[in-house]
Amino acid sequence: MQLLFVCTGNTCRSPLAEVIAARLLAERGITDIAVGSAGISAWPDAAASDGSLLVALEHGLDLSGHRARQLSPQLASTSDWILTMGAQHKEQAELLGGAGRSWLLSAFAEGEATGRPVSDPFGGDLDVYRATYAELQTLITRAIDRLLLERAAAER
């Protein structure tokens, strides 16, 4: 199964979300969910932003090998869950083949019909990136809890 996080450039929020989710799944012993990220306006092969790299390192995560990739129809249609940072990202994911499998991260995490965008740290100082990391950590923990509950219920 494939979990995909989507933001704008795939250099700040979605790479952080990817490594946070991968660690949370590994800590729970979940090995059958692959985690990835993409951007709706990504510059292919761009590295993660310096702020994301540094904040990830502060939490024992490594983004040094991250390379941005563009959200494509193939990527959207082959992902089982697409969690987006903002409404425009969700709309694009749905247009590219992710309809019925795309949610705003905050809405999915909170079990709401609507949600709010995840703060974009792009251009901010390290404290802004730290705040975004904390926001992502909370939302992704809740989202994975929900995802695993829903998956277990579907398997019954």
Side-chain angles (χ1 to χ4, degrees), residues 55 119-135:
V55 169
S119 309
D120 188 353
F122 185 75
D125 65 20
L126 201 51
D127 285 335
V128 173
Y129 278 87
R130 287 178 179 128
T132 298
Y133 182 94
E135 181 181 8

Side-chain angles (χ1 to χ4, degrees), residues 50-143:
D50 290 344
S52 289
L53 280 165
L54 291 171
V55 169
L57 281 172
E58 289 178 351
H59 294 275
L61 298 169
D62 184 9
L63 282 175
S64 63
H66 174 80
R67 295 296 172 260
R69 64 180 172 167
Q70 180 72 25
L71 181 63
S72 66
Q74 201 245 337
L75 193 53
S77 64
T78 58
S79 295
D80 298 291
W81 304 283
I82 303 170
L83 300 179
T84 69
M85 302 299 136
Q88 73 276 25
H89 309 127
K90 179 181 180 284
E91 291 168 10
Q92 190 65 28
E94 290 174 341
L95 287 172
L96 291 173
R101 293 173 283 108
S102 301
W103 298 268
L104 194 60
L105 172 58
S106 62
F108 187 84
E110 304 296 338
E112 301 170 350
T114 61
R116 58 179 166 58
V118 172
S119 309
D120 188 353
F122 185 75
D125 65 20
L126 201 51
D127 285 335
V128 173
Y129 278 87
R130 287 178 179 128
T132 298
Y133 182 94
E135 181 181 8
L136 286 169
Q137 177 74 35
T138 299
L139 290 172
I140 293 166
T141 299
R142 291 178 183 156

Side-chain angles (χ1 to χ4, degrees), residues 14-70:
S14 59
L16 282 172
E18 178 181 355
V19 294
I20 291 167
R23 177 165 60 194
L24 289 170
L25 289 167
E27 288 172 352
R28 295 174 186 211
I30 307 297
T31 59
D32 63 339
I33 298 175
V35 184
S37 64
I40 63 169
S41 297
W43 186 270
D45 295 323
S49 67
D50 290 344
S52 289
L53 280 165
L54 291 171
V55 169
L57 281 172
E58 289 178 351
H59 294 275
L61 298 169
D62 184 9
L63 282 175
S64 63
H66 174 80
R67 295 296 172 260
R69 64 180 172 167
Q70 180 72 25

